[in-house]
Amino acid sequence: MEIEVHLCADKVKPPALDKLAFGKVFTPHMFIMDYEANRGWHSPRVIPFRKIELHPAAIVLHYSQTIFEGLKAYHGVDGKIRLFRPWDNIARLNRSAERLCIPKVDPDLALKALKTLIWIDRDWIPKEKGSALYIRPFIFGSEGALGVKPSSEYLFVIILCPVSAYYEEGFNPISIYVTDRYVRAFPGGTGDVKAGGNYAASLKAQEEAKTLGYTQILWLDAVERKYVEEVGTMNIFFYIEDKLVTPELTGSILPGITRDSLLKLATHLGLKAMERRISIDEVIEGAKSGALSECFGTGTAAVISPVGKIYYKGEEVLINNGETGPLAKRFFDYLTGLQYGEIDDEFQWTVVLEDPFRQSQ
Ligand code: COI
């Protein structure tokens, strides 16, 4: 399918991009494609960024039939634009679609849509290291109907935001609050896909953590409220003695692409890495004894975010004296080195963006 392109009448210049609040500034164009049950996906197009008109009974507004992805485009030190593992995001988008009864998109078309849109708005990719263009593809049920059933109409949209660090702390350690009152996901639920409803259900706990002065929530498993699962917007890693440990994917944890990259990178760097269940008691005791020397979150938006303080059951423990540890720094440098083209990409994770219009001639 050909992607139609309708450009803005005037060229819009990016604003000064020094201090960007995450996800508040959008580029001048967006991608949109429609689905109707009798036509399938059709009319892929890039259009000037605009509001979307919705039927008040649109299924997404009532029953949260919506999924999304998050990935980034980086302006490299060599002037090239790189995407990081975009096909993995597209594959996860389709896994999320399957779980929420949303029709899948053609992966080749989705990648072409990403590349076309980013190329058109490439002047909006910030050039400073640490900044990037955050890419948000999403699909939602748009049929106006109040019965609880899968929508017969959908929109697939991609929007772009120039961004700097996700957390105000930047690469400085964040603090996390462990809740055993609320849960994010449960066996058989949607915790392992990127469904909008997962995030809606997390807001209450997140707000309570913020009121108490913590940056993020650390979720425990829903059954025993004992095993660590993930942080609000990231997967979580612990460095215990000489092993890098992250919770194994039990079905209620999001299989993060940065998480997977780190596990592979750890092995490449000669570290012992493992996925296993890890109890909150082991984390707290390890922090107290010093066996746990580092903790950090991983995610596309957050990249690598060191954790300096954990609160659990009335007690606060420091990790690595509340400071960024050497391992988090080493991973951060390696990962961003690949993304900004400073390090040879032995993993073939990056895709260099080329002019999609020239390719199709
Ligand atoms: C990402 O890291 O891309 C995410 O999707 C987290 C987010 C909800 C900001």
Side-chain angles (χ1 to χ4, degrees):
M1 248 189 291
E2 280 306 305
I3 300 175
E4 271 185 36
V5 175
H6 305 271
L7 297 181
C8 296
D10 299 314
K11 196 167 161 71
V12 187
K13 280 209 183 122
L17 296 177
D18 44 341
K19 279 209 183 85
L20 282 169
F22 184 90
K24 299 228 170 137
V25 174
F26 297 88
T27 70
H29 296 93
M30 62 198 268
F31 169 85
I32 192 159
M33 174 162 77
D34 308 271
Y35 178 95
E36 276 121 45
N38 57 353
R39 287 183 71 183
W41 285 112
H42 67 90
S43 312
R45 58 211 184 270
V46 171
I47 57 170
F49 189 94
R50 61 157 171 81
K51 292 187 178 167
I52 296 170
E53 198 166 280
L54 280 183
H55 192 292
I59 285 186
V60 63
L61 299 178
H62 302 267
Y63 310 125
S64 303
Q65 197 192 10
T66 180
I67 55 172
F68 70 95
E69 271 304 319
L71 65 159
K72 281 177 177 166
Y74 306 85
H75 194 284
V77 289
D78 50 3
K80 292 183 181 163
I81 299 164
R82 286 177 176 77
L83 296 172
F84 189 70
R85 303 183 66 174
W87 52 86
D88 291 297
N89 289 92
I90 293 168
R92 191 173 60 188
L93 183 72
N94 274 336
R95 284 203 303 278
S96 302
E98 163 83 31
R99 180 64 181 82
L100 265 79
C101 299
I102 291 175
K104 291 184 188 171
V105 289
D106 170 9
D108 291 332
L109 178 64
L111 190 57
K112 190 166 148 191
L114 286 178
K115 289 179 169 176
T116 306
L117 179 64
I118 297 164
W119 184 261
I120 289 171
D121 281 344
R122 64 190 180 284
D123 289 351
W124 285 65
I125 306 178
K127 295 196 173 57
E128 305 75 40
K129 194 168 173 196
S131 306
L133 190 71
Y134 185 77
I135 305 157
R136 173 53 63 86
F138 58 106
I139 307 178
F140 60 90
S142 52
E143 181 190 350
L146 289 180
V148 179
K149 61 159 190 90
S151 179
S152 63
E153 294 168 14
Y154 296 86
L155 288 176
F156 173 31
V157 184
I158 308 174
I159 52 176
L160 309 173
C161 305
V163 296
S164 37
Y166 183 72
Y167 297 120
E168 274 174 23
E169 289 89 338
F171 191 56
N172 295 318
I174 61 162
S175 56
I176 55 181
Y177 182 92
V178 183
T179 180
D180 53 6
R181 176 158 183 222
Y182 303 104
V183 292
R184 172 189 169 272
F186 38 84
T190 57
D192 61 345
V193 296
K194 249 175 136 52
N198 294 346
Y199 294 81
S202 77
L203 297 177
K204 177 86 177 151
Q206 175 62 39
E207 282 305 290
E208 287 189 11
K210 232 164 97 184
T211 309
L212 295 166
Y214 295 88
T215 327
Q216 279 282 317
I217 282 284
L218 176 62
W219 300 103
L220 300 180
D221 75 283
V223 179
E224 296 180 71
R225 309 223 175 169
K226 177 174 173 188
Y227 295 100
V228 171
E229 297 231 309
E230 63 177 84
V231 186
T233 55
M234 309 184 286
N235 293 112
I236 188 99
F237 281 81
F238 303 95
Y239 194 48
I240 306 177
E241 283 160 354
D242 62 343
K243 291 182 195 71
L244 185 68
V245 184
T246 191
E248 66 183 338
L249 300 176
T250 51
S252 50
I253 295 176
L254 189 79
I257 292 159
T258 314
R259 172 190 181 277
D260 181 70
S261 306
L262 236 68
L263 285 169
K264 296 194 166 102
L265 211 50
T267 310
H268 176 78
L269 296 173
L271 296 161
K272 290 181 204 150
M274 59 174 68
E275 300 169 79
R276 67 163 168 86
R277 295 188 98 185
I278 173 162
S279 72
I280 187 62
D281 292 335
E282 182 183 349
V283 170
I284 301 296
E285 278 156 30
K288 285 185 187 162
S289 72
L292 169 64
S293 55
E294 282 193 52
C295 172
F296 47 86
T298 61
T300 297
V303 193
I304 289 178
S305 187
V307 174
K309 197 161 60 176
I310 300 187
Y311 173 97
Y312 178 56
K313 283 197 192 299
E315 198 180 4
E316 213 176 59
V317 292
L318 282 183
I319 299 168
N320 193 38
N321 279 325
E323 281 163 24
T324 299
L327 197 59
K329 174 90 177 69
R330 193 169 169 205
F331 279 128
F332 180 84
D333 288 344
Y334 203 107
L335 202 59
T336 55
L338 286 175
Q339 292 165 339
Y340 291 92
E342 294 167 329
I343 297 177
D344 215 22
D345 180 10
E346 295 173 59
F347 301 93
Q348 300 189 327
W349 282 336
T350 55
V351 172
V352 172
L353 193 65
E354 275 154 19
D355 182 348
F357 301 102
R358 199 173 52 208
Q359 276 174 342
S360 63
Q361 276 163 11

